Each structure stands twice: as structure tokens, then as C-alpha cells.
DNA sequence: TCATGTGAAGAGCTTCACAGCA
DNA sequence: TGCTGTGAAGCTCTTCACATGA
């Protein structure tokens, strides 16, 4: 029922969690059916785009009626690969790393930070909202215990490549990188860069140019 | 010499700060000339793409030779609209806001955080690496004193729309939004969303699917 | 000769228009 | 009738291939 072969546009994958969040709000409001038009109003994407996005994975709706909210939510969870115990780790427990741990622990219902890593003795063994900070050499052990899907990388520029080696050795294949460098990784490792200075600088352009 | 009319792809604007950072590193190493091929190796974008990106704004290179590093850096600064005194503010001084202030103050050479805003009396009047936290009602005053280009929004979901009203009233037209909501803004206001839970959830997909 | 600058072709994604079905 | 599902058209951005000029 859920088709997951490779020819899905990246932009579709980026929109799925937005649909998921909207559906969760509808579930909380006990709404049972939703149309692509209503999802469009709530997410800002066009109704056609939402319908087309979903058909990459199957036909989940009922013509003339719409989509069953809970069913569609469950299908999207399956497509993304989320379940109650989706585990990640944070590597680098400075200000940004700490803030992301707190942010994620409180705001992200589907993804659990199971551990954080650093090399600095002054943060190792600390506890951040129940997340233990361990020395980076213990990453492989933790990886064995949990099935870690993603590593969030928030170390400084100088340590980034070295930290990546630890991450890859421990078997993690997806990295959410906040360090302002181009990481060198094997072909089968997926890096997503969130370079905040870069994004901020590119925004300055829109502050200066008329829309 | 620098053309800045509207038909420039968004993706080009996102790459310009990456070129900028690379050029700054070359300047530090006292390299005077750089080819699109070398920029390609350092940034990960193709040489053709880099050349095409630059020609949206003019012809900055010399055939057979390459680009003069300092000249190209200055042209990109002009294109983006960056100068020594490009000013921004941070709205919402929780963990994430505080981390972003520290991160930006230390890591972003072109953009200065001139003030932060909150409503919580326990953070108002604090000082974060020289950035003063003010009550949100004072935003308009600060806007008069400095020419604020961008507001980084790091308040919680519930306060986000209200904070946006303050931001827009004070005349700021570009918002870098970290709150997980679709902000409602007038047409001439540019919102860039950095929704970390959403990005993290979409990454889970790549952890589960084979590349 | 070598690297830039650029029309044309191609790929990827979105929008349109309507067929299909409850 | 109403809303989903979907080929086709359209648009945006990237890659190609080569003309241009130091």
C-alpha cells in the first residue's frame, strides 16, 4: 500500500512532516475527514500539490469525500519511517547543541534524543532534560543499544570533520550538520546542512531588494 | 556593474554566501586569483553553475585566468547588500534565541545582532555577549536608531503571531522564523522558515530508504 | 591555450485541466 | 455533485557544449 521506491522528489519529502503536524492538530480537534483543500489552507501548499505528493506513495483518499485523518497520519508515519521509538543523538553540547536538545525533547513528538556526545570533560556526564552527555568514544556502544537514525552535529568548525569520522564509524548514515563546513563523507552517507550564518546572509538580499 | 533586478533564482541567492565564505578563506591565505573549477572543489557546486550564478549580476572574471578573489568578494557583498554594519535583532530569548545570539555574534562576520527582545521580566535587561535584551514594546525605537534588516524569531508557538505583529509594525520586512507555525504576514514581508522538527523528521526518511 | 560567459538542451518540480469514482 | 487521482503542459533551475576573448 505504501510505495517507497526512489523516484520521489526531495521537495515532497520535505512537505510530508508539515502534513503530519497538521493532521495531528486535526486529530486533537477530533476531526475525522479532511480534504486536500482544507490541508492547503492550513499548510500554505496548493491542494493539487498535496494530492500529487500523496499519490507518489499510494491512493489514500476517497473521491467525493476526502481523506480519513487518522489513516492518512498513519500512512505518512509509515512513509517517513517514524515510530514511537525513532532515536537520534546530538554530537557537540555547546550552547546550540544544548538548545536543540531541549527544543527537540519538548517539541518533537516523534523523535527522541537518546544521548548526547562531547569531548569536553566539563560537559561529559551532565544531564539535559534526561539526556545524558557521554564521551564521543562511547558512540558505537550507544549505537548498538539503540537503532540511531540521525546524528545532529553541533560541534565547532574545527572539530566537525573529526566528529563525522566517529559518527560514520558508529554506523549512522544521516547527519544534520550545523557546523559551517562542507563535510567530506562517503557516497552512502546523507548530509543535510543547516548553516545558519549562510541562511541569514542570503536573507539580507531580500531585505535590500524590492519584492 | 552589479545588476540586481528581480529575475534571479532563489537557489542562486542561497549559494552566494557560500562563495563569500570560501573567498574570505582564500583572502586569509593571501590567494589572489581563483578559477570556477577551484571554487567548485571547495564549495561542492559545479563550476558551470558558479559561473552562471555570477553572470546573473555581471561579468566579473577574466577569460583564460579566473576571478580576482578580493574583487569578486566585494561584488558579492554588494549583490547581497552586506556591509560592516548590517543589523538584525533576535525576538524571543529562550534557549534557542540565546544560542543563536551567541552563535551569530561569534561566527558571522557580516551580520550584527544589535538587540534582542522578549516579554519575560526575568530576561529583560539581561546582556548576552554585549547584546542587550529589551522589552518587545521597544522594538520600534531600536528600529529608528538602527536600520534593522532581519528579525530572527525564536519565541514559542503560541506567541509567534503576536510577535510578528510587533516586528511588522516596527517596519522590518524579513523574518527568519524558528517557530513551528505558518506565520500570517502581508505580501511585502518575506518569511524564511527554519523548522527544525520538520527538517529532522524529513531526514528520518533518508535514514530508512536506501540511497 | 585556458578559463569565462552563454544560448540551447535537459531534468526536476509545479500547475493545469479533466477523467474517474463515491 | 464533489473531491480525488493523474496525464499533459508549463515553469524553474541545472547541465551541456561551445563561442569568446585574455
Amino acid at each position: 500500500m505504501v510505495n517507497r521506491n526512489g523516484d520521489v522528489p526531495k521537495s515532497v519529502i520535505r512537505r510530508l512532516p508539515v502534513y503530519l503536524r497538521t493532521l495531528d492538530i486535526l486529530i486533537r480537534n477530533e476531526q475525522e475527514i479532511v480534504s486536500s483543500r482544507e490541508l492547503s489552507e492550513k499548510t500554505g501548499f496548493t491542494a493539487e500539490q498535496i494530492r500529487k505528493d500523496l499519490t507518489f506513495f499510494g491512493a489514500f483518499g476517497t473521491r467525493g469525500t476526502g481523506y480519513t485523518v487518522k489513516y492518512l497520519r498513519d500512512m505518512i508515519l509509515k512513509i517517513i519511517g517514524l515510530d514511537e521509538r525513532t532515536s537520534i543523538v546530538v554530537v557537540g553540547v555547546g550552547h546550540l547543541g544544548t538548545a536543540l536538545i531541549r527544543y527537540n525533547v519538548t517539541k518533537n513528538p516523534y523523535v527522541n534524543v537518546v544521548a548526547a556526545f562531547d569531548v569536553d570533560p566539563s560537559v561529559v556526564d551532565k544531564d539535559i532534560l534526561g539526556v545524558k552527555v557521554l564521551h564521543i568514544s562511547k558512540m558505537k556502544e550507544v549505537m548498538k543499544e539503540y537503532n540511531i537514525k540521525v546524528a545532529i552535529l553541533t560541534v565547532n568548525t574545527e572539530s566537525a570533520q573529526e566528529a563525522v569520522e566517529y559518527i560514520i564509524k558508529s554506523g549512522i548514515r544521516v547527519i544534520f550538520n550545523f557546523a559551517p563546513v562542507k563535510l567530506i563523507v562517503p557516497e552512502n552517507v546523507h548530509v543535510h546542512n543547516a548553516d545558519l550564518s549562510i541562511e541569514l546572509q542570503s536573507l539580507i538580499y531580500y531585505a535590500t531588494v524590492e519584492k
Side-chain angles (χ1 to χ4, degrees), chain A:
Chain A
M1 191 171 291
V2 173
N3 166 29
R4 286 196 48 173
N5 55 29
D7 55 358
V8 181
K10 285 180 225 89
S11 43
V12 173
I13 304 303
R14 279 200 303 271
R15 285 189 291 268
L16 291 176
V18 180
Y19 305 152
L20 181 60
R21 169 184 294 157
T22 308
L23 293 167
D24 277 334
I25 293 169
L26 295 177
I27 288 172
R28 245 173 282 142
N29 297 340
E30 298 184 351
Q31 183 172 331
E32 296 189 351
I33 303 289
V34 67
S35 65
S36 59
R37 168 191 284 247
E38 186 179 352
L39 283 174
S40 167
E41 285 159 11
K42 303 228 153 125
T43 62
F45 305 119
T46 68
E48 300 89 324
Q49 186 164 63
I50 292 169
R51 293 203 300 277
K52 186 138 251 192
D53 283 0
L54 296 174
T55 57
F56 275 102
F57 306 99
F60 305 129
T62 311
R63 289 165 199 238
T65 310
Y67 301 89
T68 305
V69 176
K70 276 189 181 163
Y71 177 72
L72 185 56
R73 193 265 315 256
D74 290 346
M75 287 301 109
I76 291 178
L77 286 177
K78 222 174 246 174
I79 293 163
I80 299 179
L82 286 170
D83 59 45
E84 333 70 57
R85 305 194 139 274
T86 300
S87 303
I88 65 162
V89 293
V90 171
V91 181
V93 189
H95 291 287
L96 187 60
T98 305
L100 292 184
I101 292 168
R102 291 174 172 279
Y103 181 90
N104 192 77
V105 167
T106 57
K107 302 275 173 68
N108 195 332
Y110 293 109
V111 175
N112 305 307
V113 183
V114 293
F117 297 96
D118 210 304
V119 290
D120 183 352
S122 73
V123 294
V124 169
D125 281 344
K126 269 197 178 174
D127 179 296
I128 301 159
L129 296 187
V131 177
K132 190 93 176 187
V133 181
L134 305 171
H135 191 272
I136 196 165
S137 59
K138 296 201 175 147
M139 204 186 300
K140 209 163 184 173
E141 278 177 51
V142 174
M143 180 65 188
K144 273 181 203 155
E145 194 173 343
Y146 301 90
N147 177 19
I148 310 294
K149 296 284 176 68
V150 177
I152 298 183
L153 185 60
T154 47
V155 299
N156 60 35
T157 312
E158 296 70 37
S159 318
Q161 190 59 46
E162 196 190 348
V164 165
E165 311 298 337
Y166 275 102
I167 291 169
I168 292 173
K169 267 184 210 148
S170 72
I172 298 170
R173 290 197 346 273
V174 179
I175 300 172
F176 192 3
N177 174 40
F178 286 81
V181 278
K182 182 174 170 281
L183 301 176
I184 299 155
V185 298
E187 277 231 331
N188 65 340
V189 174
H190 182 98
V191 175
H192 177 73
N193 292 304
D195 194 322
L196 301 176
S197 294
I198 293 281
E199 290 185 50
L200 189 50
Q201 287 174 14
S202 73
L203 278 179
I204 304 294
Y205 177 87
Y206 296 102
T208 319
V209 174
E210 278 311 304
K211 245 195 156 177

